[in-house]
Amino acid sequence: MLVPRKTRAAVSPPYFAVVVLSDRDIRAAVASGRIGIDPFDPSCVQPASIDIRLDRFFRVFRSSKHAFIDLAKTLDDITELVEVGKTERFILHPGEFVLGSTRERVHLADDLVSRVEGKSSLGRLGLLIHSTAGFIDPGWDGHVTLELSNVANLPITIYHEMKIGQISFMQLTEATSTPYGTGTLGSKYQGQRGPTPSRYWKNFEK
């Protein structure tokens, strides 16, 4: 529950502290179904987050078919879906950017939001897992697409099912009236499976 901070004057509006769920709250929310993590591995629960693992599918950008990226047009063919075997490695070269995906499917209740962050040990090697898409809306249901990039000067090998990041959860002041996926919102990625290319072009539809 959110606790209002004390204000200097009685007429001041109430302010609420951001509440990040602890490991106990995370386990309770998973048990009650308010947080869905499939598959769920109890050993992945950290003090205030859950470790997420990398799936075996990647979308690699190909520049041979397009001279530039036109945000107003669908460009599904600008990426190629690549699958690696369970024992194979995927090599991410310096400066390269690919889309990956969490192995876990994530579902959030209407009064929870979430953030995806990288692992410190991987960041120290130059592996980043998202550029801007670290926020997950209440009501979300689907796999999480990762924006993988190598900012080091050496290639990095990544593997299926390796721990790639962590996901934390925050409590809203109350349940949202329009969860992600509500028809009026135009949610573009609800229910996505695997690394999903950008659908920004839908914003130009009338």
Side-chain angles (χ1 to χ4, degrees):
M1 178 180 294
L2 296 181
V3 180
R5 296 174 180 170
K6 293 182 179 180
T7 57
R8 294 183 178 179
V11 295
S12 299
Y15 293 92
F16 294 90
V18 175
V19 175
V20 178
L21 269 59
S22 70
D23 54 354
R24 295 180 182 180
D25 290 328
I26 290 172
R27 292 189 185 96
V30 170
S32 67
R34 295 179 62 240
I35 294 175
I37 302 287
D38 184 24
F40 174 63
D41 182 352
S43 69
C44 286
V45 177
Q46 298 298 319
S49 65
I50 299 178
D51 284 337
I52 49 178
R53 299 179 185 272
L54 185 65
D55 204 358
R56 65 181 185 276
F57 298 100
F58 302 89
R59 283 200 169 271
V60 179
F61 283 76
R62 302 299 186 194
S63 59
S64 58
K65 294 184 179 180
H66 299 275
F68 56 88
I69 295 176
D70 186 340
L71 297 179
K73 296 182 180 180
T74 175
L75 294 171
D76 288 346
D77 60 347
I78 202 171
T79 61
E80 176 184 344
L81 186 64
V82 175
E83 178 180 0
V84 298
K86 291 187 176 181
T87 59
E88 295 179 336
R89 62 188 181 184
F90 182 91
I91 301 177
L92 191 63
H93 294 276
E96 189 174 13
F97 175 82
V98 304
L99 300 179
S101 175
T102 59
R103 180 171 178 261
E104 297 84 3
R105 185 183 182 112
V106 178
H107 170 72
L108 296 181
D110 297 349
D111 61 346
L112 292 174
V113 296
S114 183
R115 288 204 61 87
V116 174
E117 302 292 351
K119 303 290 288 183
S120 174
S121 295
L122 298 178
R124 299 177 196 203
L125 297 172
L127 177 61
L128 308 182
I129 72 166
H130 74 77
S131 299
T132 61
F135 182 82
I136 304 178
D137 284 297
W140 167 265
D141 184 15
H143 292 82
V144 179
T145 293
L146 304 174
E147 304 156 338
L148 302 168
S149 58
N150 178 1
V151 297
N153 56 9
L154 293 172
I156 299 174
T157 57
I158 52 181
Y159 299 86
H160 175 232
E161 292 194 344
M162 67 176 282
K163 291 182 179 179
I164 193 69
Q166 53 198 336
I167 183 169
S168 59
F169 307 90
M170 287 148 282
Q171 178 73 53
L172 296 180
T173 54
E174 60 180 349
T176 179
S177 60
T178 51
Y180 190 86
T182 302
T184 57
L185 291 179
S187 306
K188 297 182 282 293
Y189 304 104
Q190 184 75 315
Q192 71 180 9
R193 295 181 58 85
T196 303
S198 174
R199 295 171 182 163
Y200 189 85
W201 58 272
K202 287 181 175 289
N203 293 330
F204 292 90
E205 292 183 329
K206 295 182 179 180

